[in-house]
């Protein structure tokens, strides 16, 4: 009998990646949480793929599954004759989003312990982001991941630039608290 997988701990990380990878057109029609749920169900149906693998390998498998599920969702929308413009490879986009999220925390030649620490940091930041109130999380992601200005974020979220700046400030303060508590 295969041991129970603890993949639920990756849900915030996968949710963050799904949000980052879904463009505005598809995000309006497909929920990131639905794609994550399908990914975790698929992973639990195939426990042999994950057994005996280190966290880094498990994350890579989950990213690949997530990309496949997001791609399927996009194809389903196109089949329904909805206009979804998704030319970039979702797998490549997820890898890039993951890299951009934290930058390079460790060199490519890092030791296994350094890679383990990097993976823990990625999961910690994803958990911390997930715990933020929705407005703060959106402001932080749109500013620091998508590179939008407070004015652009305000236009997108129908808020003033001052309101967005406040959300960013409070969101960053809370992230620092959450990540600092863990270290």
């Amino acid at each position: 009998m295969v041991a129970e997988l603890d993949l639920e701990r990756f849900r915030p990380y996968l949710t963050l990646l799904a949000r980052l990878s879904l463009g505005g057109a598809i995000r309006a029609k497909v929920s990131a949480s639905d794609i994550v749920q399908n990914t975790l169900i698929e992973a639990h149906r195939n426990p042999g793929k994950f057994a005996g693998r280190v966290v880094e390998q498990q994350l890579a498998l989950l990213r690949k599954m997530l990309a496949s599920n997001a791609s399927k969702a996009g194809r389903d929308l196109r089949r329904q004759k909805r206009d979804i413009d998704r030319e970039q490879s979702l797998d490549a986009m997820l890898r890039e989003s993951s890299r951009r999220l934290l930058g390079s925390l460790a060199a490519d030649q890092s030791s296994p312990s350094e890679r383990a620490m990097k993976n823990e940091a990625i999961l910690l930041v994803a958990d911390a982001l997930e715990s933020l109130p929705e407005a703060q999380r959106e402001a932080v992601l749109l500013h620091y991941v998508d590179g939008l200005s407070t004015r652009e974020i305000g236009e997108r979220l129908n808020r003033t630039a001052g309101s967005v700046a406040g959300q960013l400030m409070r969101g960053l303060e809370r992230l620092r608290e959450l990540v600092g508590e863990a270290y």
Side-chain angles (χ1 to χ4, degrees):
M1 185 166 154
V2 178
E4 184 67 26
L5 293 175
D6 182 22
L7 298 177
E8 190 62 32
R9 66 187 171 141
F10 300 131
R11 182 181 294 275
Y13 171 71
L14 294 172
T15 301
L16 179 60
L17 287 181
R19 285 183 183 138
L20 294 172
S21 68
L22 296 175
I26 197 170
R27 192 181 307 146
K29 297 175 185 348
V30 176
S31 166
S33 62
D34 288 343
I35 292 173
V36 170
Q37 185 68 21
N38 290 340
T39 300
L40 290 173
I41 289 169
E42 180 182 344
H44 280 287
R45 287 183 181 153
N46 299 291
K49 285 184 173 183
F50 295 89
R53 296 190 187 257
V54 297
V55 171
E56 186 175 76
Q57 293 168 323
Q58 290 178 340
L59 289 174
L61 285 169
L62 288 169
R63 276 194 309 269
K64 191 171 202 128
M65 289 175 164
L66 184 78
S68 174
N69 288 328
S71 181
K72 286 177 196 171
R75 279 194 307 272
D76 289 347
L77 290 173
R78 277 189 215 86
R79 250 186 251 125
Q80 296 170 14
K81 300 193 187 284
R82 293 185 176 131
D83 186 13
I84 302 296
D85 184 35
R86 305 272 303 151
E87 297 298 322
Q88 188 175 4
S89 161
L90 284 172
D91 187 37
M93 231 163 66
L94 286 172
R95 279 195 308 275
E96 180 58 28
S97 292
S98 184
R99 276 195 278 282
R100 275 187 295 147
L101 181 60
L102 292 173
S104 179
L105 293 179
D108 288 338
Q109 302 103 358
S110 58
S111 70
S113 64
E114 289 171 325
R115 285 194 304 271
M117 287 175 28
K118 176 183 176 185
N119 288 327
E120 287 302 315
I122 289 170
L123 295 174
L124 176 65
V125 170
D127 285 341
L129 278 166
E130 193 65 24
S131 73
L132 291 178
E134 179 75 19
Q136 291 176 11
R137 182 176 47 248
E138 287 299 314
V140 168
L141 290 174
L142 289 170
H143 185 70
Y144 291 100
V145 176
D146 293 346
L148 299 180
S149 69
T150 54
R151 182 188 55 76
E152 292 168 322
I153 296 168
E155 288 171 2
R156 185 176 283 189
L157 300 178
N158 199 25
R159 298 177 184 206
T160 66
S163 169
V164 170
Q167 295 292 343
L168 277 171
M169 184 183 71
R170 287 187 295 280
L172 286 176
E173 283 177 10
R174 185 65 183 139
L175 282 174
R176 284 186 190 111
E177 289 171 11
L178 292 168
V179 172
E181 289 172 3
Y183 284 100

